[in-house]
Amino acid sequence: MLKPYKALSLLLLTALIQTSCSTSRSSANTNQAVTATQGAEKPKPTSKNGIKNYADVITKEAVSDKGVFTVHKVADKYYYEIPDSLLQRDFLWITRFASLPSGLGNGYINAGSSVNEQMVVWQKFENKLLLKTKSYNSIAADSLPINLSVLANNYQPTIYAFDIAALSNDSSAYVIDVTKFFLSDIKTFSGLSADMRRNYKVTKLDDSRSFINSVKSFPLNIEVKQDFTYDATEPPSNATTGSISLLMNQSMVLLPKVPMQARINDYRVGYFNIRQIDYGSEALKADEKSYIRRWRLEPKDVEAYKRGELVEPIKPIVYYLDPATPDKLRPYIKAGVEQWQKAFETAGFKNAIIAKDPPSPEEDPDFSPEDVRYSVIRYVASTTRNAVGPSVSDPRSGEIIESDIIWYHNHLRSYRNRYLLETGAANPGARTLNTPMDDLGEMMLEVITHEVGHALGLPHNMKASSAYPTDSLRSGNFTQEYGIAATIMDYARYNYVAQPGDKNIRFIRQLGPYDHYAINWGYRYLPDAKSPEDEVPVLSAWIKEKTGNPIYQFGSGSGGYDPDSQTEGIGNDVVKASNYGLKNLKLVAPKLYGWTAAQTNDYDDLDELYGELLGVWSRYIGHVVTNIGGVHENRLKPDQKGYIYTPVTAKEEAASLDWLLKNAFSSPEWLHQSEISRNIHHANHVESVRNLQVRHLDNLLSSARMARLMENEVNKVNYNALDMVKQLQRGIWSEIYSGAQIDIYRRNLQKAYLDRMDYLLNKEESKPTRYNSTTVEISQSDIRSILRGELANLQKQLRAAQRNYSGDLSRYHIDDVLVRIDNILNPNKN
């Protein structure tokens, strides 16, 4: 059956032949016809099924931009001219925030943050073009009969249906009007989630204040910016306007016609990954498959590569610097990118990753950071303190197509502050607000290396910071060679373990041995493997070679139960490391005024740094809390010896709680520096300490932690939830056994202890809770039995202790808490 436009062409051709024959037979008749029509209005071309002539739609006034699709702007309308050859081709559609209001998403969203990624295809149906989603989550080989069922049971929705406005002059492309589409509040492309719409009470998109900012077409992608304003009763900022304005970026990227050969993910090595459900599996169920995300690197000379020679890739990974990047920072950023070259050499490639200055208009007039062919390190003028390394990957194979590293201008300030607080005791170069440029440059270099690592496919590996013995971090020779953690992908930013007098110490993180191992595992080219499954024996053998070596272990840090896999920690002994860190912090605190306000004659920096000092103290405490009810995770497969999960020993748990009672829950007199507290706030010190201590007390007395401690009973670990509560309660209320006065810090903490008891006994819902990957049914567990029994014991001890206190604050405090305990134990008494 002929397509409509081809049938129309054939009809016109037939008419032309008939007219030609008629003319040759009778020129007289023709002359009469011409004479009769002179001066009359020529008939206008009529549309067929709504399809107009190309020139009537794309007029002479059109401004056209050629790329993967040609984009036309005619007056206030935008048109896509879509080649017939690109129908049914796979595109990746990425929705991002280009600009957003302060506080959106509680501040956890930045400009450049991705909202949604989905694969789409363009399809023709009658006189319409359909934009449809396409999923690779469920697959089966085309040759298998079950593929018919996969397609039938995973029918993908149509996002939008466009009328075909015109055909190109050669009928090889379709013209559609996309104006209404990009001016509509389409949920799948929106920056406002359902939760945001509910929380901010968004009513509608205001058409009068919404418009298309720009549409740009490049050889492999189209970028659209939408300026949208919504009516909102409770916006996150600028509340008096009753509005939320967003600048959204819609990217549509053409994916390779032939996907790259995927590499099967292994949870023992850290890689971002894509997941698919394969219904063509021979297993008795659908087989879930996971493939790592990585760039396509193939050697120019395969034979030389096989011989073990370093070979350049056919297409290296290239990052361009943003033209807005300050000149003094460019060398550090380039070095941060190219530091990965050594790791790629481990994988057999030389010059695999390169950093370049942006080309001048004369060198490349078409260069644009928005062109998907260019990966760019963007330098953003923003007060946000962050850097991110997102990437765009092919959902069919995991191939990384493009990546933009985002560096926010104020980010180095955070690193300056942490450098001063965490290393200032042992590192004279850190004792200033004017950190030397070489040190700042080194920090920036390593941050860029970390973010590029994400863009290469590597997630955080929080376990790597526990690979080194804690005391080795006090060795100059060790830290200069191995750094302070086994990978740059951990949050191990500074060496806070090193003590005053330690020599030649490296204080700033660096690339480590795990990085070489992970890049080799993910990127080494295996020329003899014809399928992802063919690679598995080799890849598994590389992992088994490293079994038992902590340097090559991976742990995401999620779950909150593994003391070896924590953010911001270093060393293999969290108690020892936190002890060293706290000793340093106690040396820094009294010096902070002299290093800041005394030099600047201003209190702003002192105020900021003191607040961050409390945060550093809190991190050291949190690391030790994780030891209690902690479980070491060692990612293994059945052909490796050992257990995946091993509880922390009873001795370590008891020692950790003892450390907390001395260093977290005692009265922190060292924190009260009069020069600081009496110059930065009128009355906030006690409340700041209370808030921090209560946070860790509540964490210690979480239902999830207690559930893991109760599990110790079946794991034959001689320290359970009752042991922990007994030890904690005696430590929190130690004054009533000694008769000592109870100071303000301790009175606050003791009341907080009772509040937590009240919550767990009477207020937390009695249903299975899942917190930090531990599930517990509170009402049917021992949690309430333990707490009720120990609280009753405390009540007796407090009554006995009353006689030791007269009419002072300590006595009033004890009288008050006795009433509180009675109300907790008898909530329905009144």
Side-chain angles (χ1 to χ4, degrees):
M1 180 177 177
L2 290 175
K3 293 183 179 179
Y5 67 86
K6 290 190 175 179
L8 179 61
S9 299
L10 184 59
L11 181 63
L12 292 173
L13 180 61
T14 303
L16 181 60
I17 294 171
Q18 291 173 343
T19 302
S20 177
C21 293
S22 174
T23 301
S24 64
R25 285 194 295 266
S26 178
S27 61
N29 290 342
T30 302
N31 289 335
Q32 290 175 2
V34 170
T35 301
T37 57
Q38 282 180 348
E41 183 178 351
K42 294 181 180 180
K44 294 181 178 178
T46 58
S47 63
K48 185 174 179 64
N49 297 324
I51 299 176
K52 298 180 180 179
N53 289 328
Y54 185 82
D56 292 337
V57 178
I58 308 303
T59 64
K60 292 180 179 179
E61 288 72 33
V63 178
S64 302
D65 184 15
K66 291 185 177 181
V68 60
F69 297 168
T70 299
V71 174
H72 305 281
K73 187 175 189 294
V74 183
D76 60 350
K77 291 189 173 183
Y78 287 92
Y79 295 89
Y80 279 3
E81 186 173 328
I82 304 177
D84 183 78
S85 61
L86 292 180
L87 297 185
Q88 301 295 349
R89 282 290 300 273
D90 293 337
F91 287 84
L92 188 64
W93 194 298
I94 308 105
T95 301
R96 297 188 185 94
F97 291 102
S99 295
L100 68 163
S102 173
L104 189 77
N106 296 319
Y108 290 102
I109 301 172
N110 298 311
S113 296
S114 176
V115 176
N116 190 22
E117 289 189 13
Q118 57 194 317
M119 207 160 71
V120 300
V121 293
W122 294 88
Q123 295 179 355
K124 185 176 182 297
F125 176 74
E126 295 181 349
N127 293 313
K128 293 182 181 292
L129 285 192
L130 309 181
L131 178 63
K132 294 182 71 72
T133 61
K134 184 175 180 180
S135 174
Y136 267 80
N137 291 338
S138 299
I139 61 168
D142 294 344
S143 59
L144 296 176
I146 198 172
N147 183 57
L148 298 174
S149 180
V150 170
L151 296 175
N153 289 285
N154 293 275
Y155 189 65
Q156 299 301 313
T158 299
I159 299 172
Y160 206 87
F162 300 85
D163 292 325
I164 297 174
L167 303 175
S168 63
N169 288 325
D170 63 358
S171 299
S172 66
Y174 305 93
V175 177
I176 59 171
D177 184 346
V178 297
T179 312
K180 183 180 177 182
F181 170 69
F182 283 115
L183 286 176
S184 299
D185 185 19
I186 299 173
K187 299 296 188 289
T188 190
F189 299 130
S190 172
L192 293 179
S193 65
D195 285 343
M196 288 181 185
R197 290 170 188 265
R198 183 169 52 254
N199 293 339
Y200 303 138
K201 294 183 169 52
V202 175
T203 54
K204 66 181 179 68
L205 178 71
D206 186 344
D207 295 337
S208 68
R209 292 183 288 165
S210 300
F211 50 91
I212 299 171
N213 187 290
S214 64
V215 182
K216 298 178 183 179
S217 189
F218 301 97
L220 295 176
N221 62 300
I222 296 179
E223 303 295 315
V224 180
K225 282 190 170 63
Q226 306 158 292
D227 199 327
F228 278 179
T229 295
Y230 295 86
D231 291 333
T233 307
E234 297 182 12
S237 57
N238 299 313
T240 57
T241 65
S243 303
I244 296 175
S245 289
L246 303 170
L247 188 63
M248 299 303 300
N249 191 93
Q250 308 291 347
S251 299
M252 190 187 72
V253 181
L254 179 63
L255 294 174
K257 199 165 190 176
V258 179
M260 176 187 74
Q261 179 168 295
R263 177 157 291 181
I264 294 175
N265 181 52
D266 191 308
Y267 90 131
R268 295 170 293 179
V269 183
Y271 268 89
F272 293 124
N273 54 79
I274 61 168
R275 295 183 180 275
Q276 299 174 355
I277 298 176
D278 186 358
Y279 286 91
S281 168
E282 294 295 328
L284 296 180
K285 64 179 180 64
D287 189 14
E288 183 173 309
K289 291 185 175 178
S290 176
Y291 302 110
I292 69 171
R293 294 175 57 180
R294 57 176 182 153
W295 295 80
R296 187 190 299 232
L297 283 188
E298 299 166 341
K300 286 182 178 179
D301 186 339
V302 175
E303 294 305 316
Y305 189 88
K306 286 181 177 180
R307 293 193 298 269
E309 299 175 24
L310 290 181
V311 177
E312 291 188 342
I314 295 171
K315 184 181 179 182
I317 304 164
V318 179
Y319 278 96
Y320 290 89
L321 271 61
D322 190 325
T325 306
D327 288 339
K328 68 178 182 179
L329 298 178
R330 292 189 178 199
Y332 301 109
I333 295 175
K334 287 181 181 178
V337 174
E338 295 184 349
Q339 189 171 200
W340 282 104
Q341 286 187 357
K342 288 293 183 183
F344 278 106
E345 287 177 6
T346 303
F349 292 101
K350 66 178 179 181
N351 300 323
I353 184 167
I354 301 167
K356 294 183 177 181
D357 284 319
S360 66
E362 293 75 26
E363 292 170 327
D364 186 352
D366 297 325
F367 175 81
S368 169
E370 294 180 284
D371 190 334
V372 76
R373 295 174 300 168
Y374 303 106
S375 292
V376 179
I377 299 178
R378 296 177 182 250
Y379 193 92
V380 179
S382 168
T383 57
T384 299
R385 297 188 187 183
N386 200 8
V388 294
S391 61
V392 174
S393 65
D394 187 337
R396 305 166 304 176
S397 65
E399 178 185 358
I400 297 175
I401 306 296
E402 179 266 353
S403 152
D404 283 349
I405 310 298
I406 302 174
W407 176 276
Y408 296 94
H409 179 72
N410 277 19
H411 196 34
L412 273 178
R413 186 177 182 88
S414 296
Y415 278 82
R416 188 276 311 270
N417 290 358
R418 296 262 313 258
Y419 191 54
L420 184 153
L421 294 169
E422 294 181 33
T423 78
N427 178 15
R431 300 167 188 167
T432 175
L433 294 175
N434 299 312
T435 310
M437 190 60 218
D438 284 348
D439 289 359
L440 286 174
E442 176 73 6
M443 296 173 206
M444 186 176 201
L445 183 159
E446 302 302 344
V447 177
I448 292 293
T449 302
H450 177 95
E451 300 306 336
V452 171
H454 285 319
L456 296 175
L458 303 179
H460 291 131
N461 179 6
M462 301 306 183
K463 202 173 190 70
S465 54
S466 65
Y468 298 158
T470 302
D471 281 324
S472 293
L473 301 175
R474 298 187 58 188
S475 163
N477 291 338
F478 183 91
T479 56
Q480 291 297 339
E481 182 174 356
Y482 297 105
I484 61 176
T487 177
I488 193 72
M489 302 312 299
D490 201 326
Y491 276 171
R493 305 173 205 267
Y494 295 115
N495 186 348
Y496 59 79
V497 163
Q499 297 294 293
D502 294 342
K503 304 296 184 183
N504 193 33
I505 296 295
R506 180 172 181 86
F507 289 100
I508 302 172
R509 60 181 171 175
Q510 66 181 25
L511 209 70
Y514 173 86
D515 301 309
H516 289 258
Y517 164 71
I519 290 296
N520 180 72
W521 189 92
Y523 280 92
R524 179 163 286 278
Y525 185 69
L526 300 176
D528 297 327
K530 305 305 179 186
S531 70
E533 289 74 18
D534 288 346
E535 295 183 338
V536 171
V538 174
L539 298 174
S540 294
W542 292 344
I543 296 172
K544 290 177 71 174
E545 288 173 5
K546 307 297 185 183
T547 300
N549 190 331
I551 288 174
Y552 303 106
Q553 303 303 303
F554 172 72
S556 66
S558 62
Y561 54 79
D562 185 354
D564 298 334
S565 189
Q566 303 194 67
T567 62
E568 314 290 355
I570 55 174
N572 66 347
D573 184 331
V574 294
V575 173
K576 182 180 285 188
S578 290
N579 213 42
Y580 280 134
L582 187 55
K583 285 177 66 176
N584 284 336
L585 212 55
K586 288 180 177 180
L587 293 175
V588 167
K591 302 289 186 181
L592 205 53
Y593 181 90
W595 294 347
T596 58
Q599 304 298 319
T600 63
N601 197 32
D602 189 286
Y603 289 114
D604 288 346
D605 287 300
L606 178 62
D607 189 3
E608 181 179 316
L609 278 159
Y610 185 74
E612 292 191 28
L613 183 144
L614 291 176
V616 174
W617 178 44
S618 179
R619 278 196 294 274
Y620 297 158
I621 294 170
H623 293 159
V624 178
V625 168
T626 307
N627 249 359
I628 301 165
V631 181
H632 300 288
E633 181 185 40
N634 185 15
R635 297 188 175 204
L636 300 169
K637 288 200 172 181
D639 61 353
Q640 295 171 285
K641 292 181 179 180
Y643 295 112
I644 293 177
Y645 300 109
T646 303
V648 174
T649 67
K651 182 179 179 181
E652 289 177 295
E653 290 183 289
S656 296
L657 186 48
D658 186 56
W659 188 93
L660 290 169
L661 291 169
K662 292 176 182 175
N663 296 289
F665 300 136
S666 62
S667 299
E669 298 293 345
W670 64 274
L671 273 174
H672 187 253
Q673 305 291 327
S674 296
E675 283 184 316
I676 299 175
S677 60
R678 295 178 67 179
N679 283 313
I680 63 175
H681 51 70
H682 68 284
N684 193 48
H685 174 75
V686 172
E687 180 62 16
S688 295
V689 173
R690 183 207 62 78
N691 183 62
L692 188 150
Q693 290 181 322
V694 170
R695 183 191 317 158
H696 291 294
L697 179 65
D698 289 351
N699 188 7
L700 196 60
L701 287 170
S702 70
S703 56
R705 191 175 311 282
M706 295 184 74
R708 294 195 294 274
L709 284 164
M710 290 185 295
E711 194 88 1
N712 281 350
E713 182 176 334
V714 297
N715 286 322
K716 309 302 180 185
V717 177
N718 194 28
Y719 188 88
N720 57 33
L722 176 57
D723 296 322
M724 187 272 285
V725 174
K726 280 181 175 291
Q727 184 182 357
L728 176 65
Q729 184 166 285
R730 186 172 183 87
I732 294 289
W733 298 88
S734 61
E735 292 89 346
I736 67 172
Y737 302 103
S738 66
Q741 292 297 306
I742 309 171
D743 68 26
I744 188 169
Y745 300 109
R746 299 281 289 176
R747 295 195 299 269
N748 287 347
L749 184 64
Q750 289 167 1
K751 291 185 179 81
Y753 178 85
L754 296 182
D755 283 348
R756 187 64 181 174
M757 291 286 177
D758 187 24
Y759 173 76
L760 290 170
L761 284 169
N762 302 317
K763 296 178 181 177
E764 185 167 20
E765 293 184 19
S766 180
K767 64 180 182 180
T769 60
R770 187 171 181 85
Y771 175 72
N772 283 352
S773 301
T774 305
T775 303
V776 58
E777 170 62 77
I778 297 172
S779 66
Q780 296 174 16
S781 74
D782 285 333
I783 291 176
R784 287 178 173 167
S785 305
I786 291 169
L787 299 183
R788 197 178 308 279
E790 285 306 302
L791 197 56
N793 288 336
L794 177 62
Q795 185 180 49
K796 295 174 185 176
Q797 291 156 350
L798 282 165
R799 285 172 178 163
Q802 271 182 308
R803 68 176 69 94
N804 298 326
Y805 296 91
S806 56
D808 57 13
L809 267 175
S810 293
R811 174 59 184 264
Y812 294 158
H813 168 67
I814 290 177
D815 292 346
D816 177 44
V817 297
L818 279 168
V819 173
R820 293 182 186 223
I821 292 173
D822 187 51
N823 290 334
I824 295 169
L825 293 175
N826 304 284
N828 301 316
K829 183 175 63 174
N830 298 322

